[in-house]
């Protein structure tokens, strides 16, 4: 890792790429755990069981495709498909934001 200082932050170079860390930001703060929150109840989604219950109330159904590594949901009224890793510990903000986009005003993502 190579670090270069800049007026508004620090450029961090790694094998997989580079990024600008703003003043006061640390590598640890950048990796803060995010959580998916159901807006109506204020409940933090802590398992696929609770997520499935909320999604089914919104018209989503489990989709049993060929890929056994994915936990998937679809809606008959759209072409949208939500695909999640089977292991909930790998449920990252990328998947959370996908759910937020496909269910406007129902979920939001926040820092834990």
């Amino acid at each position: 890792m190579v670090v270069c200082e800049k007026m508004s932050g620090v450029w961090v170079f790694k094998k997989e790429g580079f990024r600008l860390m703003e003043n006061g930001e640390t590598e640890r703060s950048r990796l803060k755990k995010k959580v998916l929150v159901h807006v109506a109840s204020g409940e933090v989604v802590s398992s696929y069981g609770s997520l499935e219950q909320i999604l089914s109330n919104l018209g989503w159904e489990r989709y049993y495709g060929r890929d056994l590594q994915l936990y998937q949901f679809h809606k008959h009224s759209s072409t949208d498909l939500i695909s999640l890793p089977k292991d909930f510990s790998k449920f990252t903000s990328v998947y959370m934001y996908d759910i937020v986009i496909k269910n406007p005003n129902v979920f939001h993502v926040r820092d834990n």
Side-chain angles (χ1 to χ4, degrees), residues 33-58 71 73 82 84-85 87-93 95-97 99-100 103 106-112:
K33 183 92 170 129
K34 303 282 188 187
V35 291
L36 181 67
V37 178
H38 180 237
V39 174
S41 67
E43 173 191 352
V44 172
V45 174
S46 57
S47 69
Y48 284 147
S50 65
L51 178 61
E52 183 171 7
Q53 185 177 5
I54 296 166
L55 289 176
S56 68
N57 290 337
L58 297 170
Y71 199 59
F73 298 91
I82 296 173
L84 309 170
D87 182 356
F88 190 77
S89 68
K90 295 178 181 171
F91 181 56
T92 63
S93 61
Y95 301 105
M96 294 176 196
Y97 283 114
I99 292 169
V100 169
N103 297 279
V106 176
F107 294 98
H108 74 268
V109 177
R110 67 170 169 82
D111 289 333
N112 191 11

Side-chain angles (χ1 to χ4, degrees), residues 43-84:
E43 173 191 352
V44 172
V45 174
S46 57
S47 69
Y48 284 147
S50 65
L51 178 61
E52 183 171 7
Q53 185 177 5
I54 296 166
L55 289 176
S56 68
N57 290 337
L58 297 170
W60 291 89
E61 297 177 356
R62 278 291 304 276
Y63 174 75
Y64 298 93
R66 293 182 186 174
D67 193 340
L68 300 177
Q69 299 303 312
L70 296 175
Y71 199 59
Q72 296 180 306
F73 298 91
H74 75 99
K75 228 178 188 179
H76 286 290
S77 61
S78 76
T79 58
D80 287 338
L81 182 68
I82 296 173
S83 296
L84 309 170

